[in-house]
Amino acid sequence: MSDWQVKYKSTVKDRGARGILKLREGMLLFVPNDPNSDSKLKVLTPNIKSQKYTKEGSNKPPWLNLTNKQARSHIFEFENYQDMHACRALITKALAKCEEEPNKPAAVLTSAEQLSIADLELRFKVLRENSELQRLHKEFVETKVLTEDEFWATRKKLLGKDSIRKSKQQVGLKSMMVSGIKPSTDGRTNRVTFNLTSEIIFQIFAEKPAVRQAFINYVPSKMTEKDFWTKYFRAEYLYSTKNTAVAAAEAAEDEELAVFLKPDEILAQEARQKIRRVDPTLDMEADQGDDYTHLMDHGIQRDGTMDVVEPQNGQFRRSLLQDLNRHAAVVLEGRNIDVDSEDTRSVAEALARVKQVSKADGETTKDANQERLARMSRVAEMEDLQAPQNFPLAPLSIKDPRDYFESQQGNVVNEPRGAGTLKRNVHEAYGSLKESILEIRTKGLSDPLIKPEVAFEVFRSLTQTISTAKNIIGKNPRESFLDRLPKSTRDEVLHHWTSIQELLKHFWSSYPITTTYLHTKAGKLKDAMSNSYSQLEAMKESVQSELRHQLSLLVRPMQQALDAAFQHYDADLQRRAAKSARGSAGEANGHWNYNKGVIIV
Amino acid sequence: MASVASKLYSDDVSLLVLLLDTNPFFWDTTSTTFSQFLSHVLAFLNAVLGLNQLNQVVVIATGYSSCDYVYDSSLTSNVSSESRGTGGIPALFGSLLEKLEDFISRDAELSQGDEHVDRIASSLLSGSLSMALCYIQRIFRTGHLHPQPRILCLQGSPDGPEQYVAVMNSIFSAQRLMVPIDSCYIGTQNSAFLQQASYITGGVHHAPKQLGGLFQFLTTIFATDLHTRGFVQLPKPVGVDFRASCFCHKKTIDMGYVCSVCLSIFCEHHKKCSTCGSVFGQSKLDGANASSSVNDRKRKAPDS
């Protein structure tokens, strides 16, 4: 039923007007009981931005607070929580339906307009950081040569990395134990108040599967969630007082309470299974001096009191060690469910499901058992009792490093070579060399060592060589030609380089042309490329004469690439024209009706 | 490796390692005689030693079948009694000539068996480069105080492609040690090895046309120490011949196959790399192209 008796207030302090709240298709209507009051209200569901409500456990009355898009809030006080929850659920459903509808027409829009704000911001950020990219973007996207999507299509890596960084980090569990959460005690009214958040609930369910099971069984069939938690915390309180007699008494009375007080059966079963799977070759012999086993809690007092174990009520005790171990195990496992809801029951069910799955996986089949046994026997074998094993031996092959050096000289092919085939007269050659040395020893260094004309000639030719080389290459052999250009020309050349690369990338990726979209794209790119080409030519003209040659050498590969692209474009056009001319007469081939003249740049 | 610490010396102290080409088959064919050549070289060495008191000179003779150290200016036993009698030769070089003569005789003996080998009459450049680098390495290890070393290669014989690998290895070692290799090529053909050596190590390459003015060339270009080269303009070759020789036949090639593991160069398709042993796979496009998937092209640096 979608009509409720409510009190409508516009603020918290307002006394509120009684009336009927009706939820209809697409809107919320409030009709006051008193026909004279003017607090009639009509709220359209699309206008509702958010809804807040008071919780059951708190002392506040059941309120539902709706804020609309103009930031006005409407507070409705319901008669009971059930009504409020029902109304809330219906409103949520209505809101969800509203959101779906505008999305359906949006699917028809092109992908460019479905970009979320986050994506756009990301793109701006990337552009801002990279000025070269920004320049390219300005040149192409704003002159409509390329669309946004095409521009970013090849740069997904730039965008993707950022978004990965922004994705939510998985939060682990707190390492503080649940039992460390102290309630607030009110000495006057003798009330103890526990604050439960969903985080705490999750932790309780993760650590104590018996509690979770009990929740699934008892709520909401046997008791409400509030009662459940009350009982649970009573049990905790009983534990903390270490009064086992009282605990036993209460357990006997209250069946549900007993569930919380007795040791966790599910956990015990899991532990038993794990113990069965421990490798028997593991040496678990404890050190003789560390004998903890018969001292409860390692002798550590949990609450500062000495305790004496009473055997008959032993089951109502829990040791710190057990709690600590269990908590540690859960924290290390981490958050293994993704349910983020407020609803305790769904959390419990999700956890139960996960446990089922892991249990199914962990069940050892017969084969697994066999394999384990085989492995254990292998590890535990005693060497003395083994038969001597003769392993097959592989011969050792050590290569002689000299092979490497000799192979380098070995394969000289004996081919007759021009001048070298004459049989050389070794003796003669060396003889003449020795004579020369003898000559110099007797006669000494030649005098004059060098004729002045010759020396002058040497100087002249050297100077000439050096000065011409300087003009061509530059002072530093390692210096690149780009550094010698004036800065503006240099920047222009570099920019042309990147923009031509970008254009060519898109141009070649749009072949083979199968749709009109690709065709127009190729046409636009070709125009942009011709533009670029003419700009390059202009730049070559504008530069000083001594740099012109080197610049044209530098620019030549760009122009060659552009020429190749133009050629391909024209060849493709001609081919299409020829094909369409050959095709059936009835086809309307208006697209391909271009000039057949080849454009030569 | 070199010289943060040679700042303790003045900047222009240098150690010059001269690789002298004593290939008889080359000297047979030139117009200049070996004795004229030697006189230019000896005067040049004197000039280098005169530039700075602490300069050192080491001469290594590059023969046809062997190489050897012929002169070291830092040794004290340089002055031999014999040379004092004859005029003209600086006393310093008496022992150089003596040792050179001995070296040539030994080399002659070693080359006796090689009469019928159809090999380009190249001198053992790789051997002398290695010896030079070993000497320089020893100098580096003597401590902080050492002159700045460089290698000057006086070569006339053509390149022997069978030495390609060894020469390139030496060049790269020199690059690592930051030792420039200057080269003066006095032969008729172009020497790709020397051009590459000077280019890679940052040295100077020059091929003088007139051997009559060799002394002038040497003192103008090759006598400058490394520090001075920072503010002196030296001639640069306009292009460098980067051609390699293949590892299998030692032919000089322009286009060939390169092993993608060890970068060895082959002129024809092989199943297995002979240097590193890796097996070449079949290429996917098995068609007109030879079926290797490691096709590569060696480029020449632009010549003007």
Side-chain angles (χ1 to χ4, degrees):
Chain A
M1 79 182 166
S2 32
D3 284 5
W4 299 279
Q5 288 283 337
V6 294
K7 263 205 263 189
Y8 166 61
K9 316 169 178 233
S10 46
T11 65
V12 178
K13 295 287 184 214
D14 194 2
R15 228 164 14 101
R18 285 195 168 279
I20 301 182
L21 179 68
K22 307 185 194 186
L23 185 61
R24 294 286 175 264
E25 188 66 51
M27 66 172 124
L28 214 66
L29 274 175
F30 174 73
V31 179
N33 284 343
D34 183 2
N36 290 336
S37 106
D38 51 350
S39 41
K40 196 157 172 199
L41 183 66
K42 179 165 145 190
V43 181
L44 296 169
T45 23
N47 275 344
I48 298 177
K49 202 167 73 162
S50 66
Q51 46 180 350
K52 292 193 280 232
Y53 60 96
T54 55
K55 277 217 188 337
E56 273 188 52
S58 62
N59 294 331
K60 298 207 185 117
W63 281 345
L64 181 64
N65 185 349
L66 297 176
T67 26
N68 68 3
K69 292 203 170 132
Q70 284 86 36
R72 270 193 69 201
S73 61
H74 309 286
I75 305 182
F76 298 101
E77 183 173 332
F78 287 79
E79 287 186 345
N80 53 34
Y81 271 97
Q82 210 159 7
D83 282 351
M84 189 203 56
H85 282 309
C87 175
R88 189 168 60 89
L90 283 175
I91 293 183
T92 320
K93 252 192 266 174
L95 278 177
K97 226 189 309 175
C98 281
E99 276 178 16
E100 265 177 37
E101 282 162 11
N103 276 344
K104 272 191 242 128
V108 181
L109 294 172
T110 61
S111 55
E113 285 151 71
Q114 259 182 358
L115 277 183
S116 65
I117 310 267
D119 270 346
L120 277 176
E121 274 182 15
L122 190 54
R123 287 185 183 183
F124 268 138
K125 183 160 153 260
V126 172
L127 280 181
R128 242 183 302 139
E129 286 169 2
N130 190 341
S131 68
E132 193 172 301
L133 205 60
Q134 194 176 30
R135 206 173 155 184
L136 276 179
H137 189 263
K138 200 164 64 149
E139 190 177 325
F140 293 133
V141 179
E142 283 163 30
T143 57
K144 301 273 188 257
V145 174
L146 287 174
T147 65
E148 272 286 331
D149 286 334
E150 286 165 4
F151 184 75
W152 290 107
T154 52
R155 296 187 166 89
K156 282 211 170 65
K157 211 167 52 143
L158 284 174
L159 294 177
K161 265 205 209 123
D162 275 356
S163 63
I164 289 173
R165 251 184 278 140
K166 286 193 182 149
S167 66
K168 278 205 302 206
Q169 196 186 18
Q170 232 185 0
V171 180
L173 293 164
K174 280 211 214 80
S175 56
M176 185 179 79
M177 287 177 62
V178 175
S179 53
I181 300 171
K182 293 282 179 245
S184 56
T185 46
D186 191 352
R188 264 192 307 132
T189 57
N190 269 341
R191 286 167 71 97
V192 173
T193 319
F194 285 90
N195 265 333
L196 264 190
T197 64
S198 56
E199 178 82 20
I200 298 177
I201 292 177
F202 178 79
Q203 210 159 1
I204 293 176
F205 281 164
E207 284 182 27
K208 301 187 178 140
V211 172
R212 184 186 69 227
Q213 195 59 38
F215 185 86
I216 292 179
N217 292 341
Y218 294 156
V219 174
S221 51
K222 267 194 172 178
M223 58 171 98
T224 64
E225 196 173 328
K226 188 169 173 190
D227 285 342
F228 181 82
W229 290 120
T230 318
K231 287 224 170 108
Y232 174 76
F233 281 113
R234 176 129 190 95
E236 287 290 314
Y237 174 70
L238 287 172
Y239 267 129
S240 64
T241 56
K242 292 219 187 314
N243 199 337
T244 51
V246 174
E250 292 223 12
E253 272 177 27
D254 189 353
E255 181 196 319
E256 287 107 28
L257 199 59
V259 170
F260 298 134
L261 288 173
K262 69 170 191 268
D264 199 333
E265 244 325 292
I266 304 180
L267 264 185
Q269 198 183 26
E270 281 179 15
R272 273 195 289 272
Q273 264 200 327
K274 281 193 201 157
I275 289 175
R276 247 180 268 136
R277 276 186 275 154
V278 168
D279 196 349
T281 57
L282 184 65
D283 188 0
M284 293 182 71
E285 193 181 77
D287 198 353
Q288 290 295 323
D290 298 340
D291 190 3
Y292 298 123
T293 44
H294 61 266
L295 200 60
M296 271 291 273
D297 284 347
H298 286 232
I300 300 172
Q301 277 70 37
R302 196 162 166 204
D303 276 341
T305 56
M306 286 293 287
D307 38 46
V308 177
V309 183
E310 289 160 39
Q312 73 268 34
N313 291 333
Q315 57 167 331
F316 295 111
R317 308 206 56 101
R318 233 175 22 208
S319 70
L320 175 65
L321 189 60
Q322 286 171 338
D323 285 345
L324 209 53
N325 279 342
R326 179 73 197 144
H327 176 75
V330 167
V331 168
L332 285 177
E333 253 175 37
R335 209 179 276 277
N336 53 2
I337 59 168
D338 288 328
V339 175
D340 209 13
S341 78
E342 300 271 324
D343 190 6
T344 329
R345 191 181 174 83
S346 55
V347 170
E349 283 173 356
L351 271 173
R353 261 200 308 269
V354 168
K355 272 282 141 60
Q356 287 283 61
V357 170
S358 62
K359 200 166 90 161
D361 286 343
E363 267 168 8
T364 54
T365 61
K366 232 178 172 179
D367 292 332
N369 259 333
Q370 278 295 91
E371 192 232 297
R372 262 191 331 120
L373 287 172
R375 189 165 41 98
M376 286 192 292
S377 65
R378 256 200 319 246
V379 172
E381 68 188 16
M382 290 180 268
E383 285 167 10
D384 303 356
L385 300 179
Q386 300 296 330
Q389 302 197 358
N390 295 326
F391 293 110
L393 297 173
L396 195 59
S397 92
I398 299 179
K399 286 203 174 149
D400 190 0
R402 272 177 302 181
D403 285 347
Y404 166 72
F405 294 112
E406 274 151 30
S407 76
Q408 296 303 317
Q409 297 160 12
N411 297 336
V412 180
V413 168
N414 287 333
E415 279 175 12
R417 281 186 228 274
T421 47
L422 297 175
K423 188 169 137 185
R424 287 190 278 264
N425 197 335
V426 172
H427 192 70
E428 237 179 58
Y430 278 101
S432 61
L433 210 59
K434 281 196 207 163
E435 271 174 36
S436 299
I437 297 186
L438 208 56
E439 190 188 324
I440 197 177
R441 279 177 98 175
T442 47
K443 281 209 239 146
L445 298 181
S446 45
D447 186 20
L449 189 58
I450 184 167
K451 296 201 199 72
E453 310 87 64
V454 178
F456 181 71
E457 183 58 37
V458 168
F459 270 130
R460 204 184 53 79
S461 65
L462 272 182
T463 319
Q464 202 174 35
T465 321
I466 294 175
S467 52
T468 49
K470 189 170 140 201
N471 284 338
I472 296 177
I473 299 184
K475 297 200 186 84
N476 190 348
R478 301 281 188 232
E479 178 194 86
S480 116
F481 170 69
L482 277 177
D483 298 328
R484 296 179 60 213
L485 287 173
K487 191 167 183 304
S488 60
T489 325
R490 176 164 171 265
D491 288 341
E492 215 182 306
V493 168
L494 289 174
H495 177 72
H496 273 297
W497 182 244
T498 42
S499 57
I500 287 175
Q501 275 190 327
E502 184 75 20
L503 285 172
L504 284 174
K505 202 164 45 171
H506 288 281
F507 179 78
W508 287 110
S509 70
S510 60
Y511 275 91
I513 294 187
T514 45
T515 68
T516 27
Y517 169 70
L518 284 176
H519 185 76
T520 42
K521 180 175 168 189
K524 273 194 285 188
L525 287 169
K526 183 194 163 289
D527 294 333
M529 288 196 293
S530 332
N531 203 5
S532 222
Y533 200 96
S534 43
Q535 279 180 348
L536 281 177
E537 288 289 323
M539 191 171 57
K540 277 202 290 189
E541 300 295 314
S542 70
V543 126
Q544 291 171 311
S545 58
E546 64 213 21
L547 302 171
R548 197 169 298 172
H549 176 66
Q550 284 289 325
L551 184 65
S552 54
L553 278 181
L554 200 62
V555 161
R556 207 193 310 159
M558 297 190 237
Q559 288 183 322
Q560 281 175 339
L562 288 176
D563 285 335
F566 291 145
Q567 263 181 11
H568 186 89
Y569 181 78
D570 296 329
D572 194 63
L573 266 188
Q574 281 189 337
R575 235 181 322 161
R576 282 179 189 279
K579 216 172 25 163
S580 68
R582 269 188 312 211
S584 58
E587 273 182 37
N589 282 325
H591 310 302
W592 310 124
N593 200 5
Y594 280 84
N595 277 339
K596 280 207 193 161
V598 176
I599 306 163
I600 301 178
V601 183
Chain B
M1 248 301 169
S3 327
V4 169
S6 68
K7 294 278 187 203
L8 296 175
Y9 265 13
S10 66
D11 287 332
D12 54 353
V13 177
S14 51
L15 160 66
L16 176 69
V17 182
L18 180 69
L19 308 182
L20 204 60
D21 187 4
T22 60
N23 187 356
F25 306 114
F26 165 68
W27 288 114
D28 247 1
T29 60
T30 52
S31 50
T32 325
T33 63
F34 189 64
S35 57
Q36 284 171 338
F37 170 73
L38 259 189
S39 50
H40 287 276
V41 170
L42 292 177
F44 166 66
L45 289 179
N46 227 1
V48 167
L49 288 171
L51 278 174
N52 190 310
Q53 196 181 20
L54 297 170
N55 275 355
Q56 286 178 33
V57 165
V58 173
V59 179
I60 300 176
T62 318
Y64 181 74
S65 315
S66 61
C67 317
D68 200 9
Y69 294 98
V70 160
Y71 177 71
D72 186 346
S73 67
S74 53
L75 299 176
T76 49
S77 58
N78 275 335
V79 182
S80 78
S81 51
E82 216 178 288
S83 58
R84 245 179 277 152
T86 59
I89 288 289
L92 223 46
F93 297 128
S95 68
L96 189 159
L97 293 171
E98 228 179 274
K99 285 204 190 141
L100 194 57
E101 211 174 327
D102 295 335
F103 167 74
I104 290 177
S105 331
R106 271 177 286 141
D107 200 37
E109 281 166 39
L110 286 171
S111 309
Q112 285 300 333
D114 262 0
E115 281 182 15
H116 302 279
V117 171
D118 288 325
R119 192 188 90 173
I120 296 179
S122 59
S123 53
L124 219 51
L125 178 62
S126 54
S128 50
L129 268 178
S130 315
M131 290 176 86
L133 288 169
C134 288
Y135 187 89
I136 290 174
Q137 178 73 287
R138 200 183 81 191
I139 293 290
F140 279 145
R141 290 185 186 186
T142 54
H144 291 305
L145 238 51
H146 57 77
Q148 284 179 330
R150 66 181 194 273
I151 299 179
L152 171 58
C153 195
L154 273 181
Q155 185 97 340
S157 333
D159 290 336
E162 70 274 2
Q163 296 180 46
Y164 174 72
V165 177
V167 169
M168 291 313 286
N169 285 341
S170 324
I171 293 174
F172 293 132
S173 319
Q175 186 190 28
R176 276 285 169 84
L177 288 175
M178 291 196 275
V179 170
I181 300 181
D182 303 330
S183 47
C184 184
Y185 185 69
I186 49 187
T188 45
Q189 304 150 320
N190 227 345
S191 165
F193 289 173
L194 292 181
Q195 283 183 13
Q196 291 184 42
S198 301
Y199 180 79
I200 293 173
T201 55
V204 176
H205 174 84
H206 195 72
K209 295 293 173 261
Q210 320 126 274
L211 285 190
L214 183 63
F215 173 74
Q216 194 60 61
F217 278 110
L218 291 175
T219 44
T220 316
I221 304 171
F222 298 106
T224 44
D225 55 273
L226 297 183
H227 176 73
T228 321
R229 286 183 193 192
F231 36 87
V232 160
Q233 295 266 15
L234 294 173
K236 285 173 272 292
V238 184
V240 183
D241 183 2
F242 278 120
R243 279 179 307 165
S245 46
C246 77
F247 283 39
C248 41
H249 306 114
K250 313 299 174 190
K251 294 184 290 187
T252 319
I253 55 173
D254 275 327
M255 279 219 297
Y257 298 85
V258 177
C259 169
S260 43
V261 174
C262 62
L263 300 182
S264 355
I265 303 160
F266 302 102
C267 55
E268 59 186 23
H269 178 56
H270 286 238
K271 280 263 167 14
K272 200 167 90 102
C273 172
S274 59
T275 322
C276 63
S278 37
V279 176
F280 297 138
Q282 281 293 323
S283 94
K284 294 195 191 115
L285 12 125
D286 217 332
N289 266 340
S291 54
S292 164
S293 55
V294 288
N295 223 324
D296 188 72
R297 203 187 170 132
K298 304 283 269 180
R299 254 189 278 124
K300 235 185 177 176
D303 283 326
S304 91

